[in-house]
Amino acid sequence: MAAAGSLERSFVELSGSERERPRHFREFTVCGVGTANALIGTVKYSESAGGFYYVESGKLFSVTRNRFIHWKTFGDTLELMEESLDINLLNNAVRLKFQNCSLLPAGVHISETQYHVIILMLTNQTVHRLLLPHPSRMYRSELVTESQMQSIFTDIGKVDFRDPCNYQLIPAVPGLSPNSTTSAAWLSNDGEALFALPSASGGIFVLKLPPYDIPGMVSVVELKQSSVMQRLLIGWMPTAIRGDQGSSDRPLSLAVHCVEHDAFIFALCQDHKLRMWSYKDQMCLMVADVLEYVPVNKDLRLIAGTGHKLRLAYSPSMGLYLGIYMHAPKRGQFCIFQLVSTENSRYSLDHISSLFTSQETLIDFALTSTDIWALWHDAENQTVVKYINFEHNVAGQWNPVFMQPLPEEEIIIRDDQDPREMYLQSLFTPGRFINAALCKALQIFCRRTERNLDLSWSELKKEVTLAVESELQGSVTEYEYSQEEFRNLQQEFWYKFYACCLQYQEALSHPLALHLNPHTNMMCLLKKGYLSFLVPSSLVDHLYLLPDENLLTEDETTISDDVDVARDVICLIKCLRLIGESVTMDMSVMMEMRCYNLQSPEKAAEQILEDLITIDVENVMEDICSKLQEIKNPIHAIGLLLREMDYETEVEMEKGFNPAQPLNIRINLSQLYGGSTAGYLVCRGVCKIASTRFLICRDLLILQQLLMRLGDAVILGPGQLFQAQQDLLHRTAPLLLSYYLIKWGSQCLATDVPVDTLESNLQHLAVLELTDSGALMANKFVSSPQTIVELFFQDVARKHIISHLFSQPKAPLSQTGLNWPEMTTAITNYLLQLFLWSLLSNVYIYVLPRKCKSPYPVARWPSNPGCLFLECLMGNCQYVQLQDYIQLLHPWCQVNVGSCRFMLGQCYLVTGEGQKALECFCQAASEVGKEEFLDRLIRSEDGEFVSTPRLQYYDKVLRLLAVVGLPELVIQLATSALTEAGDDWKSQATLRTCIFKHHLDLGHNSQAYETLTQIADSSRQLDCLRQLVVVLCERSQLQDLVEFPYVNLHNEVVGIIESRARAVDLMTHNYYELLYAFHIYRHNYRKAGTVMFEYGLRLGREVRTLWGLEKQGNCYLAAINCLRLICPEYAWIVQPASGAVYDRPGASPKRNHDGECTAAPTNQQIEILELEDLEKECSLARIRLTLAQHDPSAVAVAGSSSAEEMVTLLVQAGLFDTAISLCQTFKLPLTPVFEGLAFKCIKLQFGGEAAQAEAWPWLAANQLSLVITTKESSATDEAWRLLSTYLERYKVQNNLYHHCVINKLLSHGVPLPNWLINSYKKVDAAELLRLYLNYDLLEEAVDLVSEYVDAVLGKGHQYFGIEFPLSATAPVVWLPYSSIDQLLQALGENSANSHNIALSQKILDKLEDYQQKVDMATRDLLYRRNL
């Protein structure tokens, strides 16, 4: 089909976005002064529509590229809408209501200047001018980067519709022709707005508004054939109306062509004549009788013309063309003329062509310099659109446009199908009903009063379901229905709503006008409810859909250079059409169901052929066989047809925009056809092609089955049966399935995804390091739900396709124009090619004709296009659709099998089917290294494989499963991956570490330990061991931790636990007790004792609480018990060094006051602690607890206090018994105890009642020898008594405790109590005398000396502890002469003091008496010795 490029193709209608919400029109009222008293409704005009294209809409780098305006009028309302195929316009719809006026049909004319878009509007009473900003002036830069932009209608609310400069009443005389509906309007070069209307007198009435920015007068001109001009100023009323011109020449259609400083007004009149006026000269320049070009015109001359239409088309190279439609009953004729200018400004018409048509009602037609496009309503009220090239089409054969049919009137529902589901599927399948039709039907069905239902596609589906079900429930009058009765009732109500939808769909599909953009050749069909576009058909679709009469006259040379091949193809198409017409609805549904259920389409085709032969009553099979006889080489014809449908062309698709292009060009191209409307149209075109080619492939399969059944060498040719069976069948079936899959994707709606789901999905893709892929972009904002093909086109495919189209332009991009038919065909073909290549590239390996020297060339896409679509679905969280798509691929498509299995596994992960996901991931592993997507998945950041590709793949999947939170699957996959690792011990260690981690997470402690022992990497093993210890401790699963054997890991475990014990806070985790149990379990009692002793030390230093002190005592007891369990010679431990407590791992270094690190201690001596030392520490710990229980404020300092410090603390707390016990244990003197108790006695002696009350608790804590409960006993008395008891109980040499007590009392100036004096006199009277002297107690000293002398002499000697007083027979006694001398000296120092002199004399007297008695005793002693 080499010559197919010159073929005049048919076109296909594609409706606009039917899933969009009904347009939100902003409404404004236009009030015209002077129209208030007019009777609204006296003039009724039909609905009309039209469009406007920007001059630069076809330029590649224009702001107005692919941008246009269309409008619709009905009654007093004008609806204006601006559209763009590149961006989504905001605020792009307005509705204007003209009070007391009716808009003329086609009474809207739009023009543009450099700064403004000017809309000229005509009603039956007024004319209006509306100025809006030009798009090029709305944006600061010509570089458009946003996907949404403001429309020119955004600020229309600021327009003053009452500004008299921009509207004017039409004067009553000469007045508007009451029955005329045509009009024209244009802008002059000076900016004046001119309006042309047929006048009542038959002329042309021209009203001129001055430029909007220049004050001026409104003028009115009436053009008449006599070239006489009358100027009518506003307010001037002529007395009579000229009657020299009848109404037979009243214009039926007006058109204006502007030249430099003039405007030519063309009028096609009722007398079948065409008149040309010059507005500047205000004279008629030409009159032409069109009937001269009508073959049979006798009858037409007798009647006034109606329904004639006039259109103009201007080409800078060819000049001005005029297209005239002459309407006659049951026939019509198009006459094409070219305006020819002669000398002296004379003009004439050059007849180009006359074209005839049999359609009755012409709605509209459009003219270009080469074609005529016409829109009819036929006898069955069906829309018909055709076009023809009026220059080269000698046969006069019109090219058809295949219109989008209305949905079928009835839906066939099988017994096994739910009526509600089938009707909802039919109503909401993309491409069938528009949103507006469903909303209007819903309003009528529910009898709602809302004018507009602003519902999304999904919301509308819910409302429809609820409405029909509510009506159904409301009609139920009986309590019980049989299943069949309820089904019939359900089907009745759903059919009622479906019929209502059909009525509104048909009403909204009523055509109003054609809109042709000559700059881009884009043809639009303006309908009552929506906008549709016409796009060219491909060659295969064109031949298959072409009517029989067109196919008979088809130029064979346009199909192939070989006439015989072309004839074979046409005969083949005829056979396929005969088969397609014979296939019933049930057969068609069966084929689709076989494809959906993954069954063989070849067998389905064979069954359909059997059914066709069975029901063939019109001998269709014989006709097909006879036509097959006409095909000289059916195998070649079928192969040629297949090749056209599988896009076997050499195409190198760029991965992105050419980086060599400037940034502004790349950004500009990235916006091309980026609007939702363009995306929808392209994908609807793909769906249309896929649907048609599915039918072609279906019929082709049936035909091939017929060929195999016939088995006639005459038909197939010698030796070709086997080739037909093997090659063609195996090539057609995948192509059929491919187009079915594309069709399915074009009708499968994407799901709305919440933001949090998108973010979660992005996290999963980040683990796979796929977030930078162009196919994984987040779904942008769209105004309506998209199909998955639309989603793919907008997010991924469009940029690839546009990049390819403009990668090697034939001309500079700045000079490149956009041609709508070519661009849509190219984009649609490339999109189809992308799908087909990804689905069929494997088929080409074995389906090539044997005589081919080389394989058919196929498209070469970067980053594997088959995965681009799958990645797009995955990146946009369309997992249900992705899963269905892959399931439909699985049995027959062997392209990217591993990638598909991987993504199917991802789908299963999202839907919670983890085991299925694991199976898919394992299946995909076998394709690693063979597919681009999997290679990109395993590639590291530096572009190299860090291990074997398959191990890298397993690593990625393991990370993904871990992020999702499926540890069981991680274990299973990692275990499977161990076999892949082989002798790679590093990879094995990594995998076993992963297995260990997740076993541990699951609480499989034994399995985790077993895996731990198998890790070959010592560093990893140690890390895992450390993690095992920490985790089991946190979970309090200490029994498992202790009982594991730890073969060859014992020291490591102990080291880890010790390190953790010394590193963590004692209040959070108790690793010491774990370590103690660990050693006890292994009968290592000395280690256990060491651990508990260290634990007790740290508790005292760090845990300053009552619990800490209790725990410390228990720790010491446990340590003692451990040492008692071993032999006495081994019952010792090593004193834990300070580093074991303070220099913990991770702790900051110790510093001095200057901030410098202190030097580590050197030459530390090891201290051995035996059982006795531990018992002392245990006793000290108990005493600390006792102190803390008695005085909670002492807890903070008691924990780490030494024995000496504890004595002080106990004395301060009044626990004297405990302090004495501590002193005895550690062999400490009791001096601090007695001094402390003496001081407390002093305080009580001089304290008040508060001190007395506070003393009772600590007094009660000490065991008194005798409890005094009489009222006379006070706290002071009890304290003194306690002191007295201690002095009697704890006697030492030199009476040290008496001395310290008396010294304490005297130092505080407290008089000594008699019991203390008497007590001390008995033990050491001399020392008491010295204490008196030390504190200047001379009088007490004198009395003591006096008493002491008396005691020595025998008077009261028992009170001084003198057993034998002075006598010759008793032992020697003595007096403290030195102290007495000091006393005498002290008394004698103050000779003026008579009292001292008396005291001194008293002592002297006593001493003299003493000396006398000593002398006597001495003599007696000597005497006795001499006897």
Side-chain angles (χ1 to χ4, degrees):
M1 299 186 182
S6 60
L7 176 67
E8 287 191 18
R9 303 285 176 81
S10 56
F11 276 68
V12 178
E13 179 196 13
L14 301 177
S15 63
S17 300
E18 84 276 352
R19 297 185 300 277
E20 283 190 352
R21 298 187 183 200
R23 291 185 184 272
H24 175 66
F25 286 92
R26 293 178 296 151
E27 295 191 3
F28 301 92
T29 301
V30 181
C31 301
V33 178
T35 64
N37 296 325
L39 296 177
I40 184 70
T42 56
V43 179
K44 293 185 178 180
Y45 300 109
S46 61
E47 289 183 275
S48 65
F52 163 77
Y53 49 84
Y54 292 95
V55 174
E56 295 186 348
S57 59
K59 292 186 178 181
L60 189 60
F61 297 111
S62 171
V63 175
T64 57
R65 180 187 65 193
N66 288 326
R67 194 161 169 171
F68 61 96
I69 300 172
H70 62 98
W71 48 265
K72 182 179 70 173
T73 64
F74 51 95
D76 61 345
T77 302
L78 167 63
E79 292 181 350
L80 291 162
M81 290 145 285
E82 187 180 17
E83 303 280 358
S84 173
L85 300 179
D86 294 345
I87 54 177
N88 297 322
L89 297 176
L90 304 176
N91 302 310
N92 64 329
V94 295
R95 181 181 288 122
L96 304 181
K97 286 187 172 292
F98 295 82
Q99 284 190 342
N100 306 321
C101 299
S102 295
L103 282 153
L104 296 181
V108 178
H109 307 271
I110 305 177
S111 303
E112 64 175 316
T113 64
Q114 184 178 2
Y115 299 100
H116 294 94
V117 174
I118 301 174
I119 304 177
L120 305 177
M121 299 161 286
L122 298 95
T123 71
N124 61 336
Q125 299 185 61
T126 57
V127 294
H128 299 264
R129 175 172 56 191
L130 177 61
L131 272 77
L132 298 172
H134 195 276
S136 62
R137 301 297 168 183
M138 292 182 64
Y139 315 115
R140 297 181 179 179
S141 171
E142 292 186 358
L143 190 61
V144 179
T145 59
E146 296 86 358
S147 61
Q148 299 179 359
M149 297 183 67
Q150 295 294 337
S151 166
I152 63 171
F153 299 128
T154 298
D155 295 330
I156 195 173
K158 300 178 182 179
V159 175
D160 183 9
F161 292 103
R162 297 192 178 190
D163 185 356
C165 296
N166 289 321
Y167 86 94
Q168 184 61 47
L169 283 172
I170 298 176
V173 176
L176 181 65
S177 176
N179 297 322
S180 178
T181 59
T182 186
S183 63
W186 70 97
L187 286 179
S188 69
N189 290 339
D190 298 328
E192 300 166 327
L194 298 111
F195 303 86
L197 297 163
S199 65
S201 59
I204 298 177
F205 170 71
V206 181
L207 187 150
K208 181 178 72 175
L209 295 180
Y212 65 91
D213 54 351
I214 301 176
M217 296 289 293
V218 176
S219 63
V220 177
V221 172
E222 185 180 8
L223 305 178
K224 293 197 175 183
Q225 188 174 354
S226 61
S227 300
V228 177
M229 181 273 295
Q230 296 179 352
R231 298 182 181 276
L232 304 176
L233 298 179
I234 300 303
W236 179 76
M237 297 289 290
T239 58
I241 301 176
R242 289 173 57 97
D244 58 345
Q245 187 173 359
S247 61
S248 62
D249 58 352
R250 186 180 65 208
L252 295 176
S253 182
L254 295 176
V256 177
H257 175 65
C258 296
V259 292
E260 292 183 359
H261 297 289
D262 198 0
F264 294 154
I265 305 175
F266 297 90
L268 183 60
C269 304
Q270 282 184 330
D271 58 0
H272 316 291
K273 294 182 180 180
L274 176 67
R275 293 175 172 84
M276 174 180 169
W277 300 81
S278 170
Y279 175 74
K280 177 182 177 183
D281 299 332
Q282 297 180 354
M283 61 183 298
C284 183
L285 302 180
M286 180 191 68
V287 178
D289 188 357
V290 184
L291 289 181
E292 294 179 1
Y293 305 96
V294 178
V296 181
N297 57 21
K298 183 176 180 180
D299 296 337
L300 292 178
R301 292 186 181 276
L302 301 178
I303 59 175
T306 58
H308 298 342
K309 297 182 184 299
L310 171 65
R311 299 289 184 269
L312 304 180
Y314 177 74
S315 171
S317 59
M318 302 299 295
L320 183 65
Y321 286 86
L322 290 84
I324 297 175
Y325 174 74
M326 300 298 293
H327 173 71
K330 297 184 180 180
R331 61 190 176 95
Q333 177 181 341
F334 290 94
C335 296
I336 310 301
F337 301 95
Q338 187 174 15
L339 184 65
V340 179
S341 175
T342 61
E343 298 179 357
N344 301 324
S345 298
R346 294 183 178 273
Y347 295 90
S348 63
L349 295 178
D350 183 9
H351 180 255
I352 303 298
S353 177
S354 290
L355 303 169
F356 303 94
T357 177
S358 60
Q359 275 79 10
E360 293 188 6
T361 306
L362 180 71
I363 304 298
D364 191 18
F365 80 97
L367 179 68
T368 70
S369 58
T370 57
D371 300 322
I372 292 179
W373 291 79
L375 169 64
W376 289 277
H377 254 174
D378 62 9
E380 298 178 355
N381 204 29
Q382 298 294 319
T383 301
V384 178
V385 178
K386 294 183 179 182
Y387 81 98
I388 190 172
N389 185 303
F390 54 77
E391 288 187 336
H392 302 98
N393 197 322
V394 180
Q397 186 69 48
W398 289 77
N399 297 300
V401 175
F402 302 114
M403 306 303 295
Q404 181 173 343
L406 290 173
E408 60 272 12
E409 294 184 1
E410 293 186 2
I411 299 177
I412 301 176
I413 303 175
R414 301 193 305 269
D415 293 338
D416 59 339
Q417 293 176 329
D418 181 19
R420 178 178 65 180
E421 293 299 327
M422 295 305 298
Y423 274 103
L424 284 175
Q425 179 181 348
S426 180
L427 288 169
F428 290 94
T429 296
R432 297 175 64 84
F433 289 90
I434 64 172
N435 191 306
L438 297 176
C439 287
K440 288 182 178 293
L442 182 61
Q443 285 179 315
I444 296 300
F445 192 79
C446 298
R447 295 174 290 277
R448 295 184 178 180
T449 58
E450 298 96 333
R451 182 171 183 180
N452 291 314
L453 290 177
D454 186 16
L455 299 175
S456 66
W457 194 249
S458 57
E459 293 170 346
L460 182 59
K461 187 174 183 179
K462 294 178 182 178
E463 287 291 327
V464 167
T465 305
L466 181 62
V468 178
E469 294 296 327
S470 298
E471 290 289 327
L472 174 62
Q473 297 296 332
S475 66
V476 174
T477 57
E478 299 180 9
Y479 292 102
E480 294 184 2
Y481 278 90
S482 66
Q483 185 174 0
E484 183 178 358
E485 290 174 339
F486 182 78
R487 176 185 173 87
N488 293 335
L489 190 64
Q490 187 181 27
Q491 192 164 349
E492 175 186 344
F493 275 87
W494 276 105
Y495 176 77
K496 179 181 177 182
F497 179 79
Y498 183 79
C500 188
C501 294
L502 277 177
Q503 294 177 5
Y504 279 105
Q505 181 74 14
E506 183 177 3
L508 294 174
S509 300
H510 179 76
L512 298 178
L514 291 171
H515 173 50
L516 173 64
N517 185 343
H519 301 294
T520 62
N521 293 324
M522 183 178 70
M523 177 60 71
C524 298
L525 182 57
L526 305 176
K527 296 188 175 183
K528 184 175 181 179
Y530 58 94
L531 175 70
S532 64
F533 297 78
L534 307 184
V535 298
S537 302
S538 65
L539 175 60
V540 178
D541 300 2
H542 168 77
L543 295 175
Y544 186 77
L545 298 175
L546 205 61
D548 291 336
E549 61 273 13
N550 294 69
L551 191 60
L552 291 174
T553 60
E554 191 69 34
D555 187 3
E556 296 172 347
T557 59
T558 60
I559 299 176
S560 175
D561 296 333
D562 189 337
V563 178
D564 292 335
V565 173
R567 290 176 181 173
D568 285 352
V569 171
I570 291 178
C571 287
L572 179 62
I573 292 294
K574 291 179 180 179
C575 293
L576 296 179
R577 291 174 57 165
L578 285 174
I579 293 175
E581 292 170 0
S582 302
V583 172
T584 63
M585 180 64 69
D586 292 338
M587 297 176 185
S588 179
V589 171
M590 182 189 69
M591 177 62 81
E592 293 194 16
M593 293 303 297
R594 291 288 180 88
C595 294
Y596 184 78
N597 294 326
L598 310 179
Q599 298 174 353
S600 172
E602 294 98 326
K603 294 184 179 179
E606 185 178 359
Q607 182 177 346
I608 292 175
L609 178 61
E610 293 283 352
D611 296 340
L612 288 176
I613 295 175
T614 303
I615 65 174
D616 185 17
V617 295
E618 298 180 358
N619 299 323
V620 176
M621 292 295 118
E622 292 184 5
D623 295 341
I624 295 174
C625 291
S626 63
K627 290 185 182 298
L628 287 174
Q629 297 286 347
E630 301 175 8
I631 303 177
K632 295 182 179 181
N633 192 340
I635 299 302
H636 184 70
I638 294 174
L640 190 64
L641 192 63
L642 290 175
R643 187 165 52 187
E644 282 296 316
M645 290 192 293
D646 59 19
Y647 291 95
E648 297 178 12
T649 55
E650 288 190 1
V651 176
E652 180 72 30
M653 294 299 284
E654 300 294 333
K655 188 163 186 177
F657 291 105
N658 185 2
Q661 293 177 339
L663 178 62
N664 61 331
I665 294 179
R666 282 182 281 155
I667 295 178
N668 199 301
L669 289 178
S670 68
Q671 299 291 328
L672 184 62
Y673 297 117
S676 58
T677 300
Y680 174 80
L681 289 173
V682 170
C683 297
R684 288 306 306 159
V686 168
C687 182
K688 183 67 176 178
I689 294 174
S691 301
T692 304
R693 294 188 179 180
F694 173 78
L695 299 179
I696 296 174
C697 293
R698 179 201 65 186
D699 299 342
L700 196 55
L701 267 182
I702 298 173
L703 181 64
Q704 292 174 30
Q705 293 290 345
L706 178 61
L707 290 173
M708 292 175 56
R709 175 183 288 269
L710 293 174
D712 192 349
V714 177
I715 297 177
L716 295 174
Q720 292 187 347
L721 178 59
F722 179 76
Q723 183 176 358
Q725 181 180 4
Q726 296 299 320
D727 294 347
L728 297 180
L729 274 178
H730 289 297
R731 188 174 184 182
T732 307
L735 194 60
L736 169 78
L737 293 169
S738 297
Y739 279 116
Y740 173 78
L741 194 56
I742 297 173
K743 174 186 173 184
W744 173 86
S746 301
Q747 295 178 339
C748 179
L749 289 177
T751 306
D752 293 332
V753 182
V755 177
D756 55 347
T757 304
L758 281 173
E759 292 177 352
S760 175
N761 186 61
L762 191 61
Q763 292 177 357
H764 296 173
L765 297 178
V767 173
L768 301 174
E769 298 180 5
L770 291 176
T771 52
D772 58 344
S773 172
L776 296 173
M777 300 167 58
N779 189 11
K780 63 182 180 180
F781 170 82
V782 290
S783 59
S784 62
Q786 296 176 303
T787 64
I788 57 176
V789 174
E790 293 172 35
L791 180 67
F792 173 60
F793 175 75
Q794 289 287 9
D795 282 3
V796 181
R798 179 180 60 85
K799 291 184 179 180
H800 283 270
I801 294 172
I802 297 301
S803 172
H804 168 71
L805 290 176
F806 294 97
S807 59
Q808 295 178 349
K810 298 179 181 179
L813 291 179
S814 59
Q815 302 175 12
T816 302
L818 298 176
N819 185 285
W820 169 253
E822 294 179 0
M823 289 297 295
T824 54
T825 300
I827 293 174
T828 304
N829 287 345
Y830 278 127
L831 187 57
L832 276 170
Q833 185 179 12
L834 189 155
F835 281 106
L836 290 173
W837 186 89
S838 64
L839 297 172
L840 297 176
S841 59
N842 66 306
V843 180
Y844 301 154
I845 298 173
Y846 59 89
V847 300
L848 298 175
R850 296 180 179 179
K851 296 182 180 180
C852 289
K853 297 181 180 180
S854 61
Y856 292 123
V858 295
R860 298 189 297 273
W861 287 72
S863 67
N864 206 326
C867 286
L868 285 180
F869 180 61
L870 301 178
E871 286 184 67
C872 176
L873 296 182
M874 184 170 66
N876 288 279
C877 297
Q878 304 299 317
Y879 285 107
V880 175
Q881 295 84 344
L882 177 59
Q883 183 174 347
D884 292 341
Y885 183 84
I886 295 175
Q887 296 286 12
L888 291 173
L889 279 178
H890 175 62
W892 59 273
C893 180
Q894 299 302 314
V895 180
N896 299 315
V897 176
S899 303
C900 290
R901 301 312 294 173
F902 177 84
M903 295 187 189
L904 184 60
Q906 179 72 2
C907 296
Y908 285 135
L909 276 187
V910 174
T911 56
E913 300 176 271
Q915 200 61 43
K916 292 183 179 180
L918 181 62
E919 294 177 5
C920 292
F921 290 144
C922 292
Q923 293 168 1
S926 61
E927 301 300 319
V928 173
K930 303 176 184 179
E931 299 178 10
E932 191 277 339
F933 170 77
L934 295 178
D935 290 345
R936 180 158 46 89
L937 179 70
I938 64 177
R939 192 172 296 120
S940 59
E941 295 181 356
D942 56 1
E944 298 180 356
F945 297 115
V946 299
S947 61
T948 63
R950 195 168 295 184
L951 286 177
Q952 185 68 9
Y953 166 78
Y954 281 126
D955 177 65
K956 284 291 181 69
V957 177
L958 288 172
R959 289 164 57 188
L960 175 63
L961 294 175
V963 169
V964 176
L966 297 172
E968 300 94 340
L969 302 186
V970 174
I971 295 171
Q972 294 181 39
L973 184 61
T975 304
S976 301
L978 284 173
T979 58
E980 184 69 26
D983 297 332
D984 186 355
W985 65 272
K986 289 186 177 180
S987 299
Q988 282 196 355
T990 302
L991 292 171
R992 294 191 189 279
T993 301
C994 180
I995 296 173
F996 161 80
K997 176 183 179 300
H998 290 89
H999 269 312
L1000 191 60
D1001 291 343
L1002 290 172
H1004 302 163
N1005 300 338
S1006 300
Q1007 293 89 332
Y1009 171 76
E1010 182 180 356
T1011 306
L1012 167 70
T1013 59
Q1014 299 173 358
I1015 298 177
D1017 188 344
S1018 59
S1019 62
R1020 285 182 178 271
Q1021 189 180 47
L1022 188 59
D1023 292 339
C1024 293
L1025 184 61
R1026 185 177 295 106
Q1027 187 176 3
L1028 176 69
V1029 172
V1030 173
V1031 171
L1032 293 186
C1033 286
E1034 290 176 349
R1035 295 177 184 167
S1036 299
Q1037 296 175 339
L1038 304 180
Q1039 184 173 358
D1040 289 346
L1041 183 59
V1042 169
E1043 293 179 356
F1044 287 143
Y1046 300 110
V1047 179
N1048 299 325
L1049 294 173
H1050 181 273
N1051 294 334
E1052 287 79 0
V1053 174
V1054 172
I1056 290 171
I1057 301 178
E1058 284 182 350
S1059 176
R1060 296 294 299 178
R1062 293 165 180 169
V1064 301
D1065 186 4
L1066 295 177
M1067 299 297 291
T1068 55
H1069 296 286
N1070 194 342
Y1071 287 96
Y1072 282 104
E1073 291 185 352
L1074 169 64
L1075 193 57
Y1076 171 75
F1078 184 87
H1079 289 308
I1080 291 294
Y1081 185 77
R1082 286 158 179 79
H1083 308 292
N1084 194 343
Y1085 298 114
R1086 189 164 62 182
K1087 280 283 188 180
T1090 303
V1091 167
M1092 295 310 289
F1093 184 74
E1094 181 180 329
Y1095 184 26
L1097 289 179
R1098 284 195 59 193
L1099 285 170
R1101 292 187 176 106
E1102 300 176 21
V1103 184
R1104 305 298 178 88
T1105 62
L1106 187 62
W1107 174 87
L1109 295 176
E1110 291 178 354
K1111 194 70 176 176
Q1112 185 184 44
N1114 294 334
C1115 290
Y1116 290 152
L1117 285 174
I1120 292 171
N1121 291 336
C1122 289
L1123 293 186
R1124 285 176 176 169
L1125 292 173
I1126 59 181
C1127 297
E1129 59 267 24
Y1130 298 108
W1132 54 268
I1133 63 174
V1134 177
Q1135 168 75 36
S1138 60
V1141 179
Y1142 295 107
D1143 300 338
R1144 298 185 299 275
S1148 61
K1150 302 306 173 184
R1151 303 178 186 274
N1152 55 23
H1153 295 291
D1154 298 329
E1156 300 296 331
C1157 294
T1158 57
T1162 59
N1163 299 326
Q1164 292 185 352
Q1165 294 182 352
I1166 298 176
E1167 183 178 354
I1168 301 300
L1169 299 179
E1170 296 181 350
L1171 184 60
E1172 182 181 355
D1173 299 323
L1174 293 185
E1175 291 173 345
K1176 288 182 179 181
E1177 289 294 333
C1178 183
S1179 174
L1180 179 60
R1182 288 198 301 269
I1183 290 174
R1184 289 170 180 156
L1185 178 61
T1186 302
L1187 174 62
Q1189 291 173 342
H1190 178 77
D1191 183 10
S1193 63
V1195 173
V1197 295
S1200 58
S1201 300
S1202 63
E1204 293 80 0
E1205 294 170 340
M1206 277 302 302
V1207 171
T1208 303
L1209 294 175
L1210 292 170
V1211 169
Q1212 291 176 357
L1215 301 179
F1216 298 102
D1217 284 348
T1218 307
I1220 291 172
S1221 175
L1222 179 61
C1223 290
Q1224 291 174 342
T1225 302
F1226 284 87
K1227 297 180 174 56
L1228 299 176
L1230 300 181
T1231 303
V1233 179
F1234 284 96
E1235 288 181 349
L1237 181 55
F1239 182 71
K1240 285 189 175 290
C1241 292
I1242 296 170
K1243 290 178 64 177
L1244 288 173
Q1245 187 74 31
F1246 299 99
E1249 295 182 358
Q1252 295 286 327
E1254 293 175 358
W1256 284 112
W1258 65 261
L1259 286 171
N1262 297 282
Q1263 295 182 358
L1264 299 178
S1265 58
L1266 182 63
V1267 179
I1268 305 299
T1269 58
T1270 59
K1271 293 184 179 180
E1272 291 76 7
S1273 178
S1274 64
T1276 305
D1277 298 336
E1278 292 300 317
W1280 287 114
R1281 192 163 65 86
L1282 180 62
L1283 179 59
S1284 174
T1285 302
Y1286 286 161
L1287 289 173
E1288 292 178 0
R1289 184 180 304 168
Y1290 305 107
K1291 297 178 180 180
V1292 293
Q1293 190 177 4
N1294 300 326
N1295 300 303
L1296 178 63
Y1297 302 142
H1298 284 79
H1299 179 274
C1300 70
V1301 169
I1302 294 173
N1303 189 49
K1304 191 73 172 177
L1305 294 175
L1306 294 178
S1307 64
H1308 285 80
V1310 178
L1312 299 180
N1314 292 330
W1315 65 266
L1316 181 57
I1317 296 173
N1318 295 332
S1319 174
Y1320 199 28
K1321 285 192 300 185
K1322 285 183 179 181
V1323 294
D1324 196 351
E1327 184 62 27
L1328 178 61
L1329 176 60
R1330 284 190 289 272
L1331 289 173
Y1332 280 157
L1333 291 175
N1334 290 339
Y1335 291 97
D1336 291 334
L1337 299 177
L1338 302 180
E1339 189 172 353
E1340 290 79 357
V1342 170
D1343 293 340
L1344 178 60
V1345 170
S1346 178
E1347 292 178 0
Y1348 190 38
V1349 172
D1350 290 340
V1352 170
L1353 296 178
K1355 182 180 180 181
H1357 61 88
Q1358 66 274 12
Y1359 297 113
F1360 282 85
I1362 299 174
E1363 184 177 359
F1364 302 102
L1366 179 64
S1367 83
T1369 60
V1372 179
V1373 294
W1374 59 275
L1375 285 177
Y1377 288 105
S1378 298
S1379 299
I1380 295 174
D1381 290 341
Q1382 292 177 8
L1383 176 61
L1384 292 173
Q1385 184 179 359
L1387 292 173
E1389 289 177 356
N1390 191 359
S1391 59
N1393 190 337
S1394 58
H1395 182 65
N1396 287 350
I1397 295 173
L1399 293 176
S1400 176
Q1401 187 61 44
K1402 182 178 178 180
I1403 293 176
L1404 291 174
D1405 292 342
K1406 280 290 183 182
L1407 288 176
E1408 184 178 358
D1409 183 40
Y1410 172 74
Q1411 291 294 339
Q1412 291 177 1
K1413 291 184 178 182
V1414 168
D1415 185 58
M1416 290 178 60
T1418 301
R1419 291 191 183 101
D1420 289 342
L1421 177 61
L1422 293 174
Y1423 174 77
R1424 289 180 180 274
R1425 287 181 177 178
N1426 293 326
L1427 289 180

